[in-house]
Amino acid sequence: MIVIGELINGMYKDVGKAIANKESDVIQHLAADQVMAGASVLDVNTGPYSQNPKDDMKWLIETIQGVVQVPLALDSTKADVIEEGLKLVAKRAIINSTNADEAKMAVIFGLAKKYNTQVIGLAMDKSGVPNSKEKRLELAAAIVAKAMEFGINAEDLFLDPIVLPLNVAQAQGSEVLESIREFRLLCDPAPNTTIGLSNVSQGTKFRPLVNRTFLTMAVANGLTSAILDPLDKELMDAMITAELVLNKAIYCDSFLEAYRKR
Ligand code: THG
């Protein structure tokens, strides 16, 4: 599994404050801790309250790259914010994200070619997040087709069925899980899949349990990547064990330690 650490996101109150006040130590600790805990990529999102997302994105990237050397997933709905970031990244980045809208894909896949990046494609369009797996598959297929047109390899594409909170969109859980399985069949070699895991538990009472259960089920459906909180040790242990059950790693009694030492 490609673990994308979600914690550098201005949506978190403390992180939003750290961005506004340019508290680099807060960001650098979050970066180092997530990588230590097993994140191989860090999501970078200035959050909804950023007054100047371009400058904040640039500051976050430079601050993070002062302490860790992992690829970054630049998470913004604004292409100009992403492009400012792409000029600064030290490692091959992931653009988070495009949707299935024609004009949006043209801009984002253009940037992906120009800066040689990977791309997350959200199975949604102008009319929002679909509520069926059929519509999700249709939108994901449009993203795959457009990526191919731009000469982007399937393994550089991460298809995201879009996870919604269980407490307000309960019927969507199984649609998303089935979408993960179906997206893998869209091309050969298969595209990657990813989810914003914590969306599923927003507003629910037992967040870690909901996250852990959903992730395990998604892994069983062939999920290859997730944006999640790598500091949740029980979540990481469940993910590692799920991959073991699927025979993606060799069993030994110390398999958890073995995973961490990689
Ligand atoms: N797909 C893709 N990218 C994404 C998402 C997705 N990026 C953003 C998001 N969804 C994934 N990241 C988060 C980060 C935080 C939370 C949820 C998803 C979260 N935050 C607390 C909350 O809202 O309750 C913040 C509370 C606090 O202030 O501490 O849950 O789906 N491609």
Side-chain angles (χ1 to χ4, degrees):
M1 279 279 288
I2 298 167
V3 174
I4 305 174
E6 75 178 8
L7 297 177
I8 301 178
N9 188 322
M11 194 203 295
Y12 289 102
K13 277 191 204 74
D14 296 355
V15 179
K17 254 175 55 190
I19 294 170
N21 303 327
K22 300 286 180 285
E23 298 163 24
S24 49
D25 55 325
V26 173
I27 303 301
Q28 291 187 328
H29 273 118
L30 283 173
D33 289 352
Q34 290 186 91
V35 171
M36 279 287 286
S40 44
V41 178
L42 297 180
D43 197 63
V44 185
N45 186 320
T46 60
Y49 308 112
S50 172
Q51 294 299 310
N52 193 337
K54 270 194 207 175
D55 285 346
D56 287 344
M57 179 61 84
K58 282 157 62 178
W59 177 78
L60 280 171
I61 292 169
E62 280 167 345
T63 303
I64 294 164
Q65 290 182 164
V67 287
V68 296
Q69 265 76 55
V70 297
L72 304 178
L74 307 188
D75 188 353
S76 173
T77 53
K78 302 191 179 79
D80 58 337
V81 172
I82 286 173
E83 182 157 21
E84 281 307 304
L86 291 175
K87 293 175 186 165
L88 287 177
V89 293
K91 289 274 166 83
R92 187 171 187 220
I94 303 178
I95 297 177
N96 187 9
S97 52
T98 184
N99 56 31
D101 180 52
E102 281 288 332
K104 178 83 179 176
M105 288 193 288
V107 172
I108 294 298
F109 287 136
L111 285 177
K113 285 311 277 184
K114 182 173 175 194
Y115 293 92
N116 181 32
T117 76
Q118 300 186 302
V119 181
I120 296 174
L122 306 179
M124 64 181 287
D125 61 10
K126 278 189 192 131
S127 44
V129 180
N131 50 29
S132 71
K133 62 182 171 133
E134 288 78 13
K135 185 69 186 173
R136 282 181 168 87
L137 187 64
E138 184 186 316
L139 295 175
I143 294 171
V144 169
K146 185 60 78 176
M148 300 293 124
E149 247 177 66
F150 275 80
I152 290 165
N153 295 329
E155 55 265 43
D156 290 331
L157 192 60
F158 292 75
L159 297 175
D160 181 341
I162 307 191
V163 170
L164 297 169
L166 202 62
N167 64 343
V168 294
Q170 200 174 348
Q172 292 303 303
S174 62
E175 298 293 314
V176 165
L177 290 168
E178 285 171 43
S179 294
I180 291 167
R181 185 168 292 283
E182 292 175 355
F183 288 1
R184 301 286 293 155
L185 304 173
L186 279 171
C187 55
D188 185 13
N192 277 295
T193 47
T194 198
I195 54 173
L197 179 66
S198 299
N199 302 359
V200 76
S201 65
Q202 274 176 323
T204 68
K205 187 163 177 207
F206 301 102
R207 289 198 70 170
L209 176 63
V210 172
N211 289 338
R212 196 154 74 230
T213 304
F214 197 80
L215 182 62
T216 309
M217 296 173 81
V219 171
N221 278 270
L223 188 74
T224 63
S225 157
I227 304 164
L228 54 73
D229 174 6
L231 304 189
D232 181 342
K233 187 170 174 296
E234 287 180 309
L235 177 66
M236 290 295 281
D237 286 354
M239 179 196 82
I240 295 162
T241 309
E243 291 207 286
L244 193 77
V245 169
L246 293 174
N247 198 25
K248 290 184 178 168
I250 295 169
Y251 179 83
C252 65
D253 285 344
S254 56
F255 70 88
L256 290 174
E257 288 159 54
Y259 179 91
R260 294 204 179 87
K261 279 189 193 145
R262 286 188 322 184

